[in-house]
Amino acid sequence: MFKHPLVPTDGSPLSQEAVLRAVSFASEAGARITFFCAIQPSPKMYYGMGSIFDAHMPTTFRESMRSTAQDILDAAEKLALATGVECRKVMLFSEEPYAAIIEAARHNECDLIFMASHGRKGVKGFVLGSETRKGVTHSTIPVLGIDALHHSCSGTPQ
């Protein structure tokens, strides 16, 4: 039985559904949760003649993203604590959210990655891809993809 899932969240309704399901799962299984939020670093900026640049913009952007991530993680923590589920919160700046998710799971010794999926299938799923699909492909830790749109689960065989 899994005792320490990593639950990535970006605050979207889809990931919020995964948070709710993960808290329910952890409550029933007697597990603890690590909530995770991957933060995009400052966008790359290109400048030309006549461009206006505020030297504080990258720092302001980074702090805004960190604050938003903290709010998302605080909301997830509140749900877990209301159900009596032990949890912790982790955030990491990364250009590749799927890689940050796997890194966070390994670093925090999680035994499952419990994350939302759009449930795209076939060519649409292949072309559009998803962080869940990339996580399943690259992770050695089992990934449970919660298809909140169709209320089903899919996981990696281990």
Side-chain angles (χ1 to χ4, degrees):
M1 180 59 77
F2 298 108
K3 292 296 183 185
H4 185 197
L6 180 86
V7 183
T9 180
D10 61 7
S12 68
L14 188 63
S15 71
Q16 188 63 15
E17 179 68 24
V19 166
L20 290 169
R21 290 180 183 210
V23 168
S24 176
F25 167 83
S27 178
E28 291 176 19
R32 62 190 167 107
I33 294 176
T34 295
F35 293 111
F36 175 74
C37 193
I39 306 170
Q40 290 286 121
S42 310
K44 296 196 180 350
M45 305 177 114
Y46 300 95
Y47 308 100
M49 291 291 280
S51 64
I52 298 173
F53 175 71
D54 177 358
H56 300 286
M57 192 170 10
T59 302
T60 302
F61 178 85
R62 187 178 178 97
E63 287 309 311
S64 175
M65 295 299 291
R66 182 188 306 271
S67 176
T68 299
Q70 189 63 54
D71 290 346
I72 291 166
L73 292 171
D74 288 347
E77 177 185 49
K78 185 177 178 182
L79 289 170
L81 294 177
T83 312
V85 173
E86 179 187 339
C87 68
R88 63 183 300 210
K89 305 175 289 186
V90 176
M91 66 178 83
L92 180 66
F93 283 89
S94 176
E95 290 191 24
E96 296 289 345
Y98 82 91
I101 290 166
I102 293 168
E103 180 181 335
R106 284 186 188 140
H107 181 76
N108 290 281
E109 299 178 350
C110 296
D111 56 7
L112 176 69
I113 300 173
F114 194 112
M115 62 192 294
S117 170
H118 289 282
R120 296 183 181 116
K121 306 236 186 295
V123 174
K124 187 175 184 182
F126 177 75
V127 172
L128 294 175
S130 75
E131 296 308 309
T132 306
R133 185 176 304 276
K134 290 176 192 172
V136 168
T137 304
H138 294 91
S139 179
T140 57
I141 298 167
V143 177
L144 179 63
I146 303 302
D147 181 358
L149 295 177
H150 300 99
H151 304 290
S152 63
C153 301
S154 62
T156 57
Q158 293 289 320

